[in-house]
């Protein structure tokens, strides 16, 4: 049995890590493709009449938001359009805050991995750039990870 020098083992582990990232990042991007698959009817042909689960979910969400805006407008004696605009602004702000928090946490984990010698700074920067470009997670707006809360 041959003993592998520590430096050679570390180089091999680093190469394996880069290879794992090269495989994992495109796999994650493809696995979380936000484009819904076409619906299939009983005849086996795609049906454009049947909404996808994503479309159905979005319709339900839109309807709940409309009902919420109408209820708040009636309760407060304010115009429905004004309440709708306020809700959209607040929801957008909350989503932006959540995305920035996820980005910050990812950067912290990557910085720790660099300090521990698990990644190089270049690898960590590439992962951050991929996340900011929307490659990781497949969420709208270039987020990190799947979007929770229905969108």
């Amino acid at each position: 049995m041959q003993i592998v020098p520590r430096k050679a083992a570390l180089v091999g582990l680093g190469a394996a890590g880069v290879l794992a990232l090269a495989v994992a990042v495109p796999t994650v991007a493809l696995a979380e493709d936000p484009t819904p698959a076409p619906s299939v009817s009983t005849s086996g042909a795609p049906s454009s009449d049947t909404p996808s689960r994503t479309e159905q979910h979005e319709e339900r969400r839109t309807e709940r938001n409309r009902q919420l805006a109408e209820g708040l407008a009636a309760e407060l004696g304010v115009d429905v359009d004004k309440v709708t605009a306020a809700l959209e602004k607040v929801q957008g702000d909350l989503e932006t805050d959540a995305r920035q928090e996820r980005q910050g946490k990812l950067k912290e984990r990557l910085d720790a991995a660099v300090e521990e010698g698990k990644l190089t700074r270049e690898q960590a920067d590439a992962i951050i750039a991929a996340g900011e470009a929307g490659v990781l997670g497949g969420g709208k707006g270039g987020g990190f990870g799947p979007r929770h809360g229905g969108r």
Side-chain angles (χ1 to χ4, degrees):
M1 183 162 121
Q2 190 178 38
I3 297 177
V4 179
R6 181 178 178 166
K7 189 172 186 178
L10 289 175
V11 169
L13 285 173
V18 171
L19 179 60
L21 282 174
V23 171
V25 170
T27 302
V28 168
L30 291 173
E32 296 190 22
D33 183 0
T35 308
S39 300
V40 178
S41 68
T42 54
S43 67
S47 170
S48 60
D49 297 337
T50 306
S52 70
R53 289 182 69 184
T54 302
E55 291 168 335
Q56 290 172 352
H57 179 78
E58 189 62 31
E59 287 173 12
R60 286 190 307 270
R61 183 182 173 280
T62 300
E63 178 60 19
R64 283 191 310 269
N65 284 347
R66 184 190 62 74
Q67 290 172 349
L68 176 62
E70 288 176 355
L72 285 171
E75 187 69 28
L76 298 171
V78 179
D79 182 56
V80 174
D81 292 335
K82 195 171 191 176
V83 173
T84 300
L87 284 172
E88 288 173 357
K89 181 189 180 310
V90 170
Q91 286 172 334
D93 291 347
L94 290 172
E95 289 173 4
T96 299
D97 292 348
R99 182 173 36 258
Q100 289 173 347
E101 184 178 341
R102 286 189 306 272
Q103 290 171 344
K105 287 180 180 180
L106 176 64
K107 288 177 183 179
E108 288 174 12
R109 289 193 310 270
L110 291 172
D111 287 343
V114 169
E115 287 180 25
E116 294 169 6
K118 294 179 180 178
L119 291 175
T120 66
R121 172 52 41 203
E122 293 77 22
Q123 291 169 326
D125 291 344
I127 294 168
I128 291 168
E132 290 172 350
V135 174
L136 302 177
K140 298 177 188 173
F144 290 93
R147 296 186 67 165
H148 300 287
R151 285 179 50 179

